[in-house]
Amino acid sequence: MTTRYRVEYALKTHRRDQFIEWIKGLLAVPFVLYSQPTGVFDVGVTEMSEEAHRRYAEIMRDVETMLDDHIRLEQAVHPLPSKLKMLVPTIGSFFTRLPLEAAFKSQDRKRYISSRRYVSPSFNDVRLILNTAQLMAVTTYGSLQLATFDGDVTLYDDGESLEIDNPVIPRMLDLMRKNVKIGIVTAAGYTTSERYYSRLHGLLDAIATDETLTPAQRHNIVIMGGEANYLFEFDPTSEFLLSPVPRSRWLTPEMQAWSEDSINRLLDIAEAALRDCIKSMNLPATLMRKDRAVGIITTDPKVRIPRESLEETVLVVQKTLELSVRADHTSSAPAPGSSNNNNNKNGGGGGVNRVVPFCAFNGGRDVFVDIGDKSWGVSVCQKWFGGSSPADEGMIKGDQTLHVGDQFLSAGANDFKARSVGTTAWIANPAETVELLDELAGFMGKKIS
Ligand code: IMP
Ligand code: MG
């Protein structure tokens, strides 16, 4: 591995979203050409912002057209690489087209992107435009049937719980009232209802006591824990409002093929690599082994493991597991719904011992390696709730699914994997999830009216 490769790949690629960076680069051109930092040349801020708005919107429309072409070519009988694929090689597959021009105009009304003279369109501007476009798409071109949510950082702050006064709760109940199914797809892996109740009690209590939900709507929520390892359904008769669902009722045929031996072997290799990292970087961390995961957590909650060490650990474990696949001369396990799985090729997963996929990720304060990943977790939810028509073959489809999460960088991020089975929205904190759900409700309301 050359130094250049390390700089370009290991140190950079896993911390960049190339599609967003590319759009940001395109928008930087009109910003440089038309922004008027000093208000010279007799151009007022209003004229400048109108001109910048027109140029930005044109660019977003051009990208939208390129994306349409990318989707068309991917669906062709003999797929050809699209121009977009050539320009952004890591671009994935899309379940819906994205109305980027309309989404830009909507975000520009909120964020005044075109009025800025000193700060060019940013990563966050583009991320939020893409989210808006995705919300518009799942409510306009199809109808949203399943919304899945990550836990930490998406519904509540890292390591916290979903308390009764969390503003996301009424928004989630509102979705359930509209018959949208809910899945909480979290890496947090516990084997008992009590542990999940302690993290999610605010939402579960609200569902149990809300008088406007029908009994059927109350059951439109599941908890998928440990990425894809433990399924719990809502149960108003249980002390903790949840009942574990035996694996025999929800494992897909592919998941049934993950043998206990292969799972344990994968976790053994990961454990050895994690122990090496603790030793070589003298991390203030201790190892935690579970039946479907292995991770490192801080020895003292007041001491944080440096971000760089967490990232290094993820990359070391991921590489070690990938190399062990190669040593076994095996191919990597396809993600569920695998024809749409370009994104997975860049991610922190693969197959060990023929079929067991894994997800190694940086949880902000810890590193975990889980069996399976969120693509499996979300697809179990799609199957659990089933489609609404016979044509759906018992699955909610990718274009009827929205996964909301905070971890979408290609390596060391666990929500990224959900992109291969459904549409996604990338939020940065729980407040953004609340805003996103308000935006979604607005688009759903418009469609209904
Ligand atoms: P998420 O953001 O809801 O996916 O939760 C990720 C966090 O759950 C991790 O950062 C860990 O702190 C915590 N966690 C607890 N148990 C597990 C496990 O078994 N695997 C992965 N993460 C876990
Ligand atoms: Mg998270």
Side-chain angles (χ1 to χ4, degrees), residues 273-286 296-299 303-306 309-310 312-313:
L274 289 170
R275 283 191 192 283
D276 275 354
C277 288
I278 294 180
K279 203 164 153 214
S280 62
M281 288 182 277
N282 194 21
L283 302 178
T286 179
I296 57 167
I297 56 170
T298 48
T299 26
V303 179
R304 285 188 83 123
I305 306 171
S309 307
L310 293 171
E312 171 74 11
T313 305

Side-chain angles (χ1 to χ4, degrees), residues 305-339:
I305 306 171
R307 178 177 62 74
E308 292 80 356
S309 307
L310 293 171
E311 284 182 7
E312 171 74 11
T313 305
V314 170
L315 292 168
V316 165
V317 180
Q318 201 171 292
K319 232 347 148 221
T320 307
L321 288 168
E322 279 166 12
L323 290 174
S324 83
V325 179
R326 256 178 246 164
D328 278 1
H329 300 288
T330 57
S331 59
S332 81
S338 52
S339 62

Side-chain angles (χ1 to χ4, degrees), residues 150-156 158 186 361 363 374 405-407 414-415:
D150 162 57
D152 292 56
V153 183
T154 301
L155 294 178
Y156 35 82
D158 200 12
T186 169
F361 74 100
K374 290 196 183 185
D406 66 294
Q407 292 219 347
N414 62 0
D415 295 302

Side-chain angles (χ1 to χ4, degrees), residues 37 55 71 88 154 165 195 246 251 284 328 337 368 408 429 435:
R55 304 269 172 169
I71 294 170
V88 186
T154 301
D165 57 353
R195 292 294 303 276
L251 282 186
D328 278 1
F368 270 92
F408 282 99
N429 53 53
E435 279 170 41

